Amino acid sequence: MVVVGAGAWGLPAAAELARRGHSVTLIDKWGPGSLLGSSSGPTRLWRLSHPDRLRVRLALRSVQAWDRLARDSGVEVVLRRGLLWRDAITSPKVVDALTKAPSLDSFLQQVLDLVMELAQASTGVVLLKNAKGTFSPVVVRHQGSLSKGEVPISDAIVAEVVQKRVALCVSDAAGDSRFSGRESVIIYDINQVLCVPMLHDGGIIGLVYLNRSANKSGNLEKLLDLLNAIAQLSANGAQQARLKAKAQNEEKVRRALERFHAPDVVDRVVKE
């Protein structure tokens, strides 16, 4: 087989054909990895957040293929780096809340109010990972009435985001075969859902969940990108607040023990 063009399409096509056992000749005017190609250089971007499920599946397959190529070649082919999507209004407000909020709950309340206004959402929930490894709601906003402890979210959507660790945009929950039969979709009138993980050190420490009516304006893809950026700022803020609370608690324990125990005993107890 002959593949013409060693660019973003031709090169992986040739590699996949070779992996499947075909004899492949790859031809390119400038050679592979040329700076004259349309997709060369170290600044190409890829993402897994997109409202089109097909594109997300293809992106996930691409990541698996890159990892396989890296293992086979012994060369790092993808640099995983974060992307912070900034706008002139929202990001400064999040940063301002992060620096001025007196507590983690206050910070998350301000962030949720901000993103709900931005997305014109009727429901907003922030969930944080607890000591048991499950996710508990810490801030809940809903236009309708709720019973004590009631959380108006789709557990199926949250579970999918947690499992795949990628943002999920559902443009029509009632018409989506994955979620349409769920009781929560009917009870809470779930229409368009944006659910984004709060990631820190490669793990999920929380989620931001929004539900809005299908007739609301705004590009869902752009909203998802912005919500992703806000979620990462929120994840950093949440982690900082937790570390600060831990340090304050350790200091209280240390002061209480120092009156009765030697310094080495105090250090051992605090570390435990």
Side-chain angles (χ1 to χ4, degrees), residues 138-184:
V138 291
V139 186
V140 178
R141 299 279 192 269
H142 185 61
Q143 287 185 353
S145 59
L146 295 172
S147 302
K148 185 177 181 180
E150 187 177 2
V151 185
I153 62 175
S154 167
D155 291 335
I157 292 176
V158 169
E160 183 156 337
V161 172
V162 171
Q163 179 186 4
K164 296 182 177 179
R165 297 199 303 176
V166 294
L168 180 62
C169 175
V170 182
S171 59
D172 180 14
D176 192 314
S177 59
R178 297 172 297 172
F179 314 116
S180 57
R182 301 284 180 164
E183 185 178 5
S184 58

Side-chain angles (χ1 to χ4, degrees), residues 39-146:
S39 298
S40 63
T43 58
R44 303 300 94 186
L45 301 178
W46 58 275
R47 59 177 179 156
L48 299 179
S49 58
H50 200 282
D52 187 331
R53 283 180 287 163
L54 175 60
R55 295 191 185 190
V56 173
R57 287 199 297 269
L58 289 174
L60 287 170
R61 289 180 61 185
S62 296
V63 173
Q64 294 167 0
W66 288 329
D67 289 341
R68 185 172 60 246
L69 179 60
R71 288 195 304 269
D72 294 343
S73 65
V75 177
E76 185 178 16
V77 296
V78 177
L79 296 175
R80 287 173 167 81
R81 298 291 185 266
L83 171 65
L84 178 60
W85 186 288
R86 293 193 60 186
D87 68 276
I89 299 175
T90 310
S91 294
K93 288 185 177 179
V94 175
V95 173
D96 187 60
L98 178 60
T99 56
K100 295 181 179 179
S103 66
L104 174 59
D105 286 349
S106 175
F107 165 66
L108 293 176
Q109 288 171 14
Q110 292 181 53
V111 169
L112 186 59
D113 289 341
L114 176 64
V115 296
M116 285 188 68
E117 180 181 359
L118 181 72
Q120 305 174 69
S122 57
T123 299
V125 179
V126 176
L127 303 101
L128 291 182
K129 196 171 188 177
N130 56 38
K132 296 180 180 179
T134 59
F135 293 87
S136 304
V138 291
V139 186
V140 178
R141 299 279 192 269
H142 185 61
Q143 287 185 353
S145 59
L146 295 172

